[in-house]
Amino acid sequence: MIILSPQVVHRTTGKLCDEQSWRSRGWCRLERLAFCLSRFSVMEPPRAYVVDAPSGYSRLANITIGSSKHSVFNGEFTYEADRERLVPVVRKVVQCACAAREKQEDLSSWRKLVALKNSFFSGSDEWESVAAAPPSVSAYLSKFAFTSVSERGTHQMTCLHYAAFENNAAAVRMLIEAGAEVDARDTEAFPSGGGCTPLWFAVLHGCIEAAEALLQLRADVNCSASASVPAPLLLVGGYAPVAEAERCLALMLGYGLDVHSTQCWDINEGQYESSVARLHGSTLLGAAVYGGTAALVKMLLEAHADPLCLQEVAGGGRRTALDIARDEGRPDILALLVPQVPT
């Protein structure tokens, strides 16, 4: 998919049109959703490129469809009536995508599509029926084609993983009360690397309600995993929408998130893009500096994270969060860190 988004002024409204407006407009979000679902696969996420200048320069774009914040119906519409008019269109697009995955016998992708329906219809009248609390454990298991709470599907995913991914707090509680393993780990090789718990999925997809339910039921707040990038590291490192990241971080800090230790995982050369690989061996504060969100840095400092804690860096050597802020050219973050350094 190629997104043409030069900065131009709309002839009728006088508003600036650019990549941000493309991401925010409901009709453009429908275009994005249809593209992503036409080839939806948990193993091969769709690629999109943005061309935003007359020079024709293009870059790889992150086209998120898994967050309710980015749903078609939470987008902007010139004509408000279009919002509900698109409900049957989105319903048909989702139905076709699910049918295609079933035909291909791609059960893992089908299950994730079912879990994502909650997000797809957020902001529409359809949402209440899609996001309704499950009537029973058996009904919820059947929804995802599981036969028990302990059954492992593709990549060792359990029904609880999908409940977290769906942000269904009621289902999370119901499944755990029925015996589901709260920290069950998957073996999915892409994109996480495997070893991810239900909380990992909830945190990375901004599923606050599900995350809180899991934490209340004693999920491992640090999302310690055998192979995957720790969720808190990605959360503060810029891999989650800022608003959700702040809420998730506040929630996890309240449940005792470790802000002092360095975060490592099983990493193979070439498995992760450089912006993720550089987080290996980092503290949460160092990752937040890399991510460049001052609000998250401030929250970690208030939780007594140490700006002088040494951490590994890509290519060898060790640096502090203070060093990283200087190297990244972030005076706003330096202004937060420097006062915390003992004189």
Side-chain angles (χ1 to χ4, degrees):
M1 182 179 191
I2 298 176
I3 305 159
L4 302 177
S5 59
Q7 290 192 348
V8 295
V9 175
H10 195 286
R11 183 171 59 184
T12 303
T13 65
K15 293 182 178 179
L16 179 67
C17 295
D18 55 11
E19 182 186 347
Q20 185 55 44
S21 65
W22 178 83
R23 290 180 180 276
S24 64
R25 287 176 55 82
W27 280 98
C28 295
R29 290 183 174 194
L30 176 63
E31 173 187 54
R32 179 176 64 193
L33 180 67
F35 168 74
C36 290
L37 295 195
S38 69
R39 60 199 70 207
F40 185 85
S41 169
V42 297
M43 301 304 290
E44 297 181 17
R47 290 179 175 267
Y49 296 87
V50 174
V51 180
D52 54 11
S55 64
Y57 171 77
S58 65
R59 55 186 168 78
L60 191 63
N62 177 17
I63 48 174
T64 304
I65 61 169
S67 167
S68 58
K69 180 181 177 181
H70 298 101
S71 79
V72 171
F73 308 104
N74 285 326
E76 299 173 1
F77 288 92
T78 303
Y79 300 100
E80 188 59 31
D82 287 349
R83 196 181 306 274
E84 290 305 319
R85 193 174 292 151
L86 289 182
V87 168
V89 178
V90 172
R91 188 188 304 127
K92 187 65 175 179
V93 168
V94 174
Q95 286 174 349
C96 289
C98 288
R101 301 295 84 75
E102 283 189 278
K103 185 176 181 180
Q104 295 170 355
E105 298 183 350
D106 183 356
L107 187 57
S108 179
S109 295
W110 175 82
R111 282 171 168 157
K112 282 204 172 180
L113 277 175
V114 172
L116 283 170
K117 285 182 182 179
N118 195 343
S119 298
F120 293 157
F121 289 98
S122 176
S124 73
D125 290 343
E126 187 98 344
W127 181 82
E128 288 189 8
S129 61
V130 173
S136 66
V137 172
S138 59
Y140 196 76
L141 290 171
S142 177
K143 174 180 176 179
F144 289 97
F146 282 99
T147 57
S148 72
V149 296
S150 59
E151 181 185 348
R152 297 286 186 138
T154 310
H155 308 301
Q156 296 297 298
M157 297 273 282
T158 66
C159 195
L160 185 59
H161 281 93
Y162 293 103
F165 196 65
E166 188 182 39
N167 198 23
N168 195 324
V172 165
R173 293 189 178 93
M174 187 180 291
L175 291 170
I176 293 174
E177 288 170 2
E181 183 182 348
V182 68
D183 285 322
R185 303 181 188 282
D186 74 351
T187 58
E188 187 173 311
F190 182 90
S192 65
C196 299
T197 65
L199 183 61
W200 192 99
F201 284 97
V203 167
L204 262 297
H205 292 280
C207 301
I208 308 293
E209 291 78 11
E212 185 166 17
L214 287 161
L215 288 168
Q216 288 172 346
L217 294 166
R218 302 184 182 281
D220 173 15
V221 68
N222 294 300
C223 298
S224 304
S226 59
S228 65
V229 188
L233 208 62
L234 290 173
L235 180 71
V236 300
Y239 286 84
V242 174
E244 284 87 345
E246 289 183 27
R247 291 178 62 199
C248 267
L249 181 58
L251 176 66
M252 297 176 83
L253 287 171
Y255 279 87
L257 178 65
D258 181 5
V259 300
H260 302 294
S261 63
T262 55
Q263 307 280 315
C264 298
W265 67 94
D266 295 343
I267 185 168
N268 298 315
E269 187 175 354
Q271 182 179 3
Y272 299 94
E273 59 182 86
S274 58
S275 60
V276 175
R278 69 179 180 177
L279 300 180
H280 187 264
S282 176
T283 61
L284 288 181
L285 185 58
V289 174
Y290 275 130
T293 303
L296 299 178
V297 171
K298 184 178 180 181
M299 291 173 69
L300 289 167
L301 289 172
E302 290 173 349
H304 308 295
D306 182 3
L308 294 181
C309 180
L310 287 169
Q311 55 198 49
E312 298 175 16
V313 294
R318 306 183 79 190
R319 290 190 298 171
T320 66
L322 203 62
D323 297 328
I324 296 170
R326 290 195 185 102
D327 293 345
E328 295 289 311
R330 292 304 303 263
D332 56 330
I333 292 178
L334 276 171
L336 295 172
L337 296 174
V338 171
Q340 305 300 318
V341 177
T343 55

